[in-house]
Short mmCIF file of all heavy atoms in Angstrom, two decimals:
data_model
loop_
_atom_site.label_atom_id
_atom_site.label_comp_id
_atom_site.label_asym_id
_atom_site.label_seq_id
_atom_site.Cartn_x
_atom_site.Cartn_y
_atom_site.Cartn_z
N SER A 3 17.37 14.58 -21.50
CA SER A 3 17.70 14.75 -20.08
C SER A 3 16.52 14.38 -19.20
O SER A 3 16.69 13.76 -18.14
CB SER A 3 18.12 16.20 -19.81
OG SER A 3 17.06 17.09 -20.08
N GLU A 15 12.63 3.73 -7.51
CA GLU A 15 11.38 3.11 -7.06
C GLU A 15 11.49 1.59 -7.11
O GLU A 15 11.03 0.89 -6.20
CB GLU A 15 10.22 3.60 -7.92
CG GLU A 15 8.87 3.02 -7.54
CD GLU A 15 8.39 3.51 -6.18
OE1 GLU A 15 8.64 4.69 -5.85
OE2 GLU A 15 7.77 2.72 -5.45
N LEU A 47 3.29 -8.44 14.19
CA LEU A 47 4.48 -7.60 14.03
C LEU A 47 4.50 -7.02 12.62
O LEU A 47 4.78 -5.83 12.44
CB LEU A 47 5.75 -8.40 14.30
CG LEU A 47 7.06 -7.66 14.05
CD1 LEU A 47 7.16 -6.40 14.91
CD2 LEU A 47 8.26 -8.58 14.30
N GLY A 57 1.97 5.50 8.06
CA GLY A 57 1.87 6.73 8.84
C GLY A 57 3.05 7.66 8.68
O GLY A 57 2.89 8.90 8.63
N VAL A 76 15.25 11.81 -0.52
CA VAL A 76 15.27 10.50 -1.17
C VAL A 76 16.63 9.83 -0.96
O VAL A 76 16.71 8.63 -0.66
CB VAL A 76 14.96 10.65 -2.67
CG1 VAL A 76 15.36 9.40 -3.45
CG2 VAL A 76 13.47 10.93 -2.86
N GLY A 95 19.93 -11.03 14.80
CA GLY A 95 18.73 -11.75 15.21
C GLY A 95 18.22 -11.30 16.56
O GLY A 95 18.70 -10.33 17.14
N CYS A 109 11.45 4.20 8.97
CA CYS A 109 11.80 5.61 8.75
C CYS A 109 12.31 5.83 7.33
O CYS A 109 11.94 6.81 6.68
CB CYS A 109 12.84 6.05 9.78
SG CYS A 109 12.20 6.11 11.47
N ILE A 118 9.74 10.67 -3.47
CA ILE A 118 10.10 10.17 -4.80
C ILE A 118 9.05 10.61 -5.83
O ILE A 118 9.37 10.99 -6.95
CB ILE A 118 10.27 8.63 -4.80
CG1 ILE A 118 10.94 8.17 -6.09
CG2 ILE A 118 8.95 7.92 -4.59
CD1 ILE A 118 12.38 8.58 -6.23
N ASP A 130 5.37 20.05 -21.53
CA ASP A 130 4.12 19.67 -22.17
C ASP A 130 3.86 18.17 -22.05
O ASP A 130 2.94 17.65 -22.66
CB ASP A 130 4.14 20.07 -23.66
CG ASP A 130 4.15 21.58 -23.83
OD1 ASP A 130 3.60 22.28 -22.95
OD2 ASP A 130 4.74 22.05 -24.82
N PHE A 179 21.09 3.92 -3.78
CA PHE A 179 21.69 5.09 -3.11
C PHE A 179 22.72 5.76 -4.03
O PHE A 179 22.76 6.99 -4.15
CB PHE A 179 22.35 4.64 -1.81
CG PHE A 179 23.18 5.70 -1.14
CD1 PHE A 179 22.58 6.77 -0.48
CD2 PHE A 179 24.57 5.65 -1.19
CE1 PHE A 179 23.35 7.74 0.14
CE2 PHE A 179 25.34 6.63 -0.59
CZ PHE A 179 24.72 7.68 0.08
N ALA A 180 23.53 4.95 -4.71
CA ALA A 180 24.54 5.51 -5.63
C ALA A 180 23.87 6.25 -6.79
O ALA A 180 24.31 7.33 -7.19
CB ALA A 180 25.44 4.39 -6.16
N VAL A 181 22.77 5.67 -7.32
CA VAL A 181 22.06 6.33 -8.41
C VAL A 181 21.46 7.65 -7.95
O VAL A 181 21.45 8.65 -8.68
CB VAL A 181 20.96 5.39 -8.97
CG1 VAL A 181 20.06 6.14 -9.96
CG2 VAL A 181 21.58 4.18 -9.65
N LEU A 247 -19.62 23.03 0.03
CA LEU A 247 -18.80 21.87 -0.28
C LEU A 247 -19.02 20.70 0.67
O LEU A 247 -18.34 19.68 0.55
CB LEU A 247 -17.31 22.27 -0.25
CG LEU A 247 -16.87 23.29 -1.29
CD1 LEU A 247 -15.39 23.55 -1.19
CD2 LEU A 247 -17.23 22.81 -2.70
N GLN A 258 -13.80 7.19 0.49
CA GLN A 258 -12.54 6.85 1.14
C GLN A 258 -12.70 5.65 2.06
O GLN A 258 -11.82 4.78 2.13
CB GLN A 258 -12.03 8.03 1.95
CG GLN A 258 -11.43 9.17 1.13
CD GLN A 258 -10.91 10.25 2.05
OE1 GLN A 258 -9.89 10.09 2.70
NE2 GLN A 258 -11.63 11.36 2.12
N ASN A 268 -5.98 -6.63 1.32
CA ASN A 268 -4.66 -6.67 0.73
C ASN A 268 -3.62 -7.22 1.71
O ASN A 268 -2.64 -7.85 1.29
CB ASN A 268 -4.25 -5.26 0.28
CG ASN A 268 -2.99 -5.25 -0.55
OD1 ASN A 268 -2.95 -5.80 -1.63
ND2 ASN A 268 -1.95 -4.61 -0.04
N GLY A 357 -8.37 -28.63 0.33
CA GLY A 357 -7.11 -28.93 0.98
C GLY A 357 -7.23 -29.88 2.15
O GLY A 357 -6.21 -30.39 2.64
N GLN A 359 -8.23 -32.76 1.92
CA GLN A 359 -7.89 -34.08 1.37
C GLN A 359 -6.43 -34.20 0.99
O GLN A 359 -6.00 -35.25 0.51
CB GLN A 359 -8.77 -34.35 0.13
CG GLN A 359 -10.26 -34.16 0.34
CD GLN A 359 -10.80 -35.04 1.45
OE1 GLN A 359 -10.41 -36.21 1.57
NE2 GLN A 359 -11.68 -34.48 2.28
N LEU A 384 -8.88 4.74 -6.10
CA LEU A 384 -10.11 5.54 -6.09
C LEU A 384 -10.26 6.38 -4.83
O LEU A 384 -10.93 7.41 -4.84
CB LEU A 384 -11.32 4.62 -6.27
CG LEU A 384 -11.40 3.93 -7.64
CD1 LEU A 384 -12.69 3.14 -7.75
CD2 LEU A 384 -11.31 4.93 -8.78
N ALA A 397 -7.52 21.70 1.95
CA ALA A 397 -7.53 20.58 2.88
C ALA A 397 -7.06 19.29 2.23
O ALA A 397 -7.07 18.24 2.87
CB ALA A 397 -8.94 20.38 3.46
N GLY A 444 -13.86 -17.66 4.18
CA GLY A 444 -15.31 -17.50 4.10
C GLY A 444 -15.76 -16.19 4.74
O GLY A 444 -16.62 -15.48 4.21
N ALA A 447 -14.76 -13.37 2.45
CA ALA A 447 -15.68 -13.31 1.31
C ALA A 447 -16.99 -12.66 1.72
O ALA A 447 -17.56 -11.84 0.98
CB ALA A 447 -15.92 -14.72 0.75
N VAL A 453 -19.64 -5.33 1.62
CA VAL A 453 -19.19 -4.03 1.10
C VAL A 453 -19.71 -3.83 -0.33
O VAL A 453 -20.13 -2.72 -0.69
CB VAL A 453 -17.64 -3.94 1.12
CG1 VAL A 453 -17.18 -2.62 0.52
CG2 VAL A 453 -17.13 -4.06 2.54
N TRP A 471 -23.50 18.55 -4.78
CA TRP A 471 -22.18 19.20 -4.68
C TRP A 471 -21.93 20.09 -5.88
O TRP A 471 -21.46 21.22 -5.75
CB TRP A 471 -21.12 18.12 -4.55
CG TRP A 471 -19.71 18.62 -4.61
CD1 TRP A 471 -19.02 19.27 -3.62
CD2 TRP A 471 -18.81 18.51 -5.72
NE1 TRP A 471 -17.76 19.56 -4.04
CE2 TRP A 471 -17.59 19.11 -5.32
CE3 TRP A 471 -18.91 17.95 -6.98
CZ2 TRP A 471 -16.48 19.17 -6.17
CZ3 TRP A 471 -17.81 18.00 -7.84
CH2 TRP A 471 -16.62 18.61 -7.43
N LEU A 489 -12.77 30.00 12.29
CA LEU A 489 -13.48 29.78 13.55
C LEU A 489 -13.55 31.07 14.34
O LEU A 489 -12.56 31.77 14.50
CB LEU A 489 -12.74 28.70 14.38
CG LEU A 489 -12.86 27.27 13.87
CD1 LEU A 489 -12.01 26.36 14.74
CD2 LEU A 489 -14.30 26.81 13.88
#
Side-chain angles (χ1 to χ4, degrees):
S3 63
E15 180 67 36
L47 175 59
V76 164
C109 292
I118 193 69
D130 293 330
F179 171 74
V181 171
L247 296 182
Q258 285 182 73
N268 189 64
Q359 308 302 319
L384 294 185
V453 177
W471 173 76
L489 288 176

